[in-house]
Amino acid sequence: MHSPPLPPRPRSLLLITGLVGASLSLVLLVLVLVTVRWSPLMSLDTTVAESLHRNAVSEPGLVHVNRVLTDWVWDPWTMRVLTAVVVIALWWRGSRLLAGWVAATSLLATLVQQGLKAAVGRERPRWLDPVDSAHYAAFPSGHVMTAVVTCGLLMWLLRLHGAQQAVVWGALVLAVISVAGVAFTRVYLGVHWLSDVVGGVLLGGTVVALSVAGYDGYARRSRRRSGDEGSRS
């Protein structure tokens, strides 16, 4: 089994710790506001949803494009298959700890997402003339959260393995387009509120940040123990 890849430098660790704290605070804030149905947020959700729905009803061609994107390109199962391919590749190359870590993070994200959906129990938008449909509760958006977790993990893996800067930037552009794109499709198709997709982004980012911080701590302890054992031998 290969040893864990080198973790981020101390400055990066401080950044990760800050991101974890900030994302957790924002997640809790949005969760509380959605749960208590804070009036300004509910009003914003309704205004955005109604505006986009009016456009969707009058643009069947655009609706079709958005449905293809949300049901195939950025579907959660598409993202999970992509994650599975990466996990298999890591395992094949001998990075079994990292493969298991990525798989466990993806599974944790799914469990958190489904648990919050059940706990919050928020209804999806309802329309007399729907252009699409979806099941289960609305908050958080599973499509968005899964996209954030998948893209975040892939970006982290590229950095861990020292990918060229051009590759990293190209992947970052694709990640931003994917997350923003799937968030838009879910609200445009009338199956989510704006705060659902915002919650999905924040929750997905929190899961990735916690996973990266956890792996960083484990890798540093492992290398410290290896160094101590080497100095004693």
Side-chain angles (χ1 to χ4, degrees), residues 75-85 106 110 113-114 146 150:
D75 183 77
W77 282 107
T78 302
M79 295 294 168
R80 289 172 188 138
V81 168
L82 177 59
T83 301
V85 170
S106 181
T110 300
Q113 170 207 134
Q114 294 300 319
T146 304
T150 302

Side-chain angles (χ1 to χ4, degrees), residues 193-206:
W193 306 103
L194 176 62
S195 54
D196 297 337
V197 301
V198 171
V201 170
L202 295 174
L203 281 164
T206 300

Side-chain angles (χ1 to χ4, degrees), residues 127-219:
W127 311 103
L128 295 176
D129 49 355
V131 298
D132 200 0
S133 62
H135 304 291
Y136 309 115
F139 185 89
S141 167
H143 278 68
V144 174
M145 185 174 175
T146 304
V148 171
V149 170
T150 302
C151 293
L153 289 175
L154 292 179
M155 292 297 302
W156 173 54
L157 290 173
L158 288 174
R159 185 173 180 279
L160 269 183
H161 288 87
Q164 294 181 354
Q165 199 70 10
V167 174
V168 173
W169 278 107
L172 178 60
V173 170
L174 288 175
V176 171
I177 290 174
S178 295
V179 172
V182 73
F184 176 79
T185 65
R186 303 311 287 164
V187 182
Y188 184 79
L189 293 173
V191 294
H192 273 294
W193 306 103
L194 176 62
S195 54
D196 297 337
V197 301
V198 171
V201 170
L202 295 174
L203 281 164
T206 300
V207 170
V208 172
L210 287 171
S211 177
V212 171
Y215 184 87
D216 177 88
Y218 178 85

